[in-house]
C-alpha cells in the first residue's frame, strides 16, 4: 500500500497482515479496509498460504474506525461504506485459519473482527470494547450473532449495549481470547500457533473449521441486516448529537 498503513508479508505459509498507523493508534480508514480485505481475499485460492495473522504490532491493535475519515464519507450513499462492508464480507467468507495478535487497545471493529478469527492471542496490556451504542449506533460485522454465541448473552450485552471494556483476562474467561501473554510477545506467539496449524493436514483443517463455524450465508445475512439498521441509525438524532459532540471535543 502506497502510504504503508497496511503491510502484508508472508512467512512459512502464513500471510501476516499488519496495521501500521501508530500515530493514529492504527485507526482504520476506508483505504485500509480495502487493503485488508484484498489481503484476505487473495489468500483464499492460494494453496501456498495456509494461515493468516492479523496484528497491530507492539503496543496497540486498533482504535477502530478513523472517525475523521468516516465523517468525510458521503453517508447518504450506501456505497461509501463499501470498503468496510467488503472487509466484513471477506472475514465472513474466509476459509483459511485466522490468528489475531492483540497487544494494546482493540476498539470497535478491532474487537468485532476477533470473533471471525480462529485463535486470538492478547497481551496483558490488551483491552477490548465495542462502544457503538454510545455513539447512537448499533453493532456491525455479525457481532450481534457471534458475540452472544461465543460468550453468552449477558457478557455480549455488557460489551455491545453497555459499552463495557474487557481486560485481556476477562476476554479469555469470556472465550474469545485463547491465551494471554506478556506485552511485546503476541506476534511471536501468533507465529508459533500458525506454524502449528500449518503442520496439520490442510484439507482436514478446512473441513473441521467449516463444521465448527456458523454458515457463511448466515453471517452475511446478519452483516446485511446490521448494515441496514446502522445506515438508519447514522441519520438519527442520537447519532448526530454524538458525532457533533465528538467533533466539538476534537476542536478544543
Amino acid at each position: 500500500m502506497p502510504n504503508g498503513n497496511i503491510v502484508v508479508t508472508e512467512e512459512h505459509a502464513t500471510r501476516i497482515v499488519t496495521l501500521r498507523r501508530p500515530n493514529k493508534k492504527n485507526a482504520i480508514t476506508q483505504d485500509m479496509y480495502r487493503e485488508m480485505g484484498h489481503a484476505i481475499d487473495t489468500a483464499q485460492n492460494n494453496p501456498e498460504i495456509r494461515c493468516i495473522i492479523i496484528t497491530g504490532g507492539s503496543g496497540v491493535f486498533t482504535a477502530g474506525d478513523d472517525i475523521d475519515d468516516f465523517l468525510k464519507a458521503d453517508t447518504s450513499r450506501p456505497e461509501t461504506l463499501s470498503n468496510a462492508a467488503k472487509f466484513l464480507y471477506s472475514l465472513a467468507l474466509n476459509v483459511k485459519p485466522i490468528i489475531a495478535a492483540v497487544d494494546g487497545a482493540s476498539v470497535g471493529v478491532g474487537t468485532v473482527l476477533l470473533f471471525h478469527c480462529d485463535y486470538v492471542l492478547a497481551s496483558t496490556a490488551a483491552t477490548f470494547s465495542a462502544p457503538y451504542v454510545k455513539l447512537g449506533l448499533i453493532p456491525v460485522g455479525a457481532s450481534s450473532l457471534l458475540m452472544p454465541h461465543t460468550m453468552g448473552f449477558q457478557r455480549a450485552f455488557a460489551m455491545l449495549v453497555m459499552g463495557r471494556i474487557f481486560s485481556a483476562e476477562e476476554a479469555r474467561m469470556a472465550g474469545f481470547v485463547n491465551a494471554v501473554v506478556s506485552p511485546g510477545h503476541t506476534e511471536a506467539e501468533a507465529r508459533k500457533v500458525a506454524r502449528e496449524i500449518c503442520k496439520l493436514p490442510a484439507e482436514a483443517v478446512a473441513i473441521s473449521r467449516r463444521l465448527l463455524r456458523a454458515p457463511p450465508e448466515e453471517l452475511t445475512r446478519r452483516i446485511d441486516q446490521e448494515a441496514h439498521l446502522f445506515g438508519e441509525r447514522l441519520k438519527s438524532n442520537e447519532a448526530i448529537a454524538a458525532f457533533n459532540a465528538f467533533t466539538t471535543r476534537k476542536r478544543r
Side-chain angles (χ1 to χ4, degrees):
M1 185 174 180
N3 62 16
N5 289 337
I6 298 294
V7 178
V8 180
T9 56
E10 290 177 16
E11 174 187 298
H12 304 302
T14 298
R15 176 164 289 180
I16 303 168
V17 182
T18 304
L19 286 75
R20 193 171 70 182
R21 199 182 178 213
N23 59 318
K24 293 290 186 178
K25 298 181 181 179
N26 289 342
I28 304 173
T29 64
Q30 292 293 314
D31 286 341
M32 292 168 71
Y33 276 124
R34 185 184 65 247
E35 293 300 317
M36 288 193 294
H38 180 73
I40 293 171
D41 293 342
T42 54
Q44 300 306 296
N45 296 316
N46 186 342
E48 301 299 317
I49 298 173
R50 300 277 303 277
C51 219
I52 299 169
I53 293 174
I54 299 177
T55 177
S58 293
V60 66
F61 190 59
T62 174
D65 284 296
D66 182 306
I67 299 296
D68 289 331
D69 181 76
F70 180 84
L71 292 174
K72 286 175 187 173
D74 181 0
T75 54
S76 66
R77 296 183 300 139
E79 63 268 24
T80 60
L81 299 178
S82 62
N83 287 336
K86 286 177 182 176
F87 170 67
L88 295 173
Y89 259 69
S90 296
L91 289 173
L93 300 175
N94 166 66
V95 300
K96 302 290 176 87
I98 299 184
I99 302 161
V102 183
D103 188 12
S106 179
V107 182
V109 73
T111 291
V112 169
L113 73 85
L114 302 178
F115 289 82
H116 291 273
C117 294
D118 303 283
Y119 200 100
V120 179
L121 288 149
S123 80
T124 53
T127 58
F128 306 87
S129 62
Y132 294 104
V133 171
K134 289 185 175 181
L135 291 172
L137 303 173
I138 58 104
V140 298
S143 57
S144 63
L145 176 69
L146 293 172
M147 284 194 186
H149 175 77
T150 301
M151 58 183 185
F153 175 85
Q154 284 77 10
R155 284 189 177 113
F157 184 89
M159 176 172 278
L160 284 179
V161 179
M162 299 175 71
R164 291 275 181 86
I165 299 172
F166 281 48
S167 68
E169 184 56 28
E170 286 171 331
R172 188 191 66 79
M173 291 178 65
F176 67 92
V177 164
N178 292 80
V180 179
V181 301
S182 299
H185 291 271
T186 54
E187 267 193 61
E189 292 299 319
R191 284 176 164 85
K192 289 180 185 177
V193 173
R195 288 195 292 270
E196 182 181 348
I197 293 171
C198 289
K199 289 177 182 176
L200 298 170
E203 289 184 15
V205 168
I207 294 168
S208 299
R209 182 184 184 278
R210 188 165 65 244
L211 290 169
L212 286 169
R213 302 191 70 83
E217 57 272 17
E218 186 177 354
L219 295 177
T220 54
R221 255 197 319 271
R222 184 59 65 93
I223 288 172
D224 290 343
Q225 181 185 12
E226 291 170 343
H228 174 73
L229 294 170
F230 189 92
E232 290 183 344
R233 292 301 305 163
L234 279 173
K235 302 171 187 174
S236 71
N237 291 334
E238 289 177 334
I240 291 169
F243 282 110
N244 284 340
F246 171 83
T247 53
T248 299
R249 287 196 302 270
K250 288 273 288 184
R251 292 192 196 105
R252 289 176 179 169

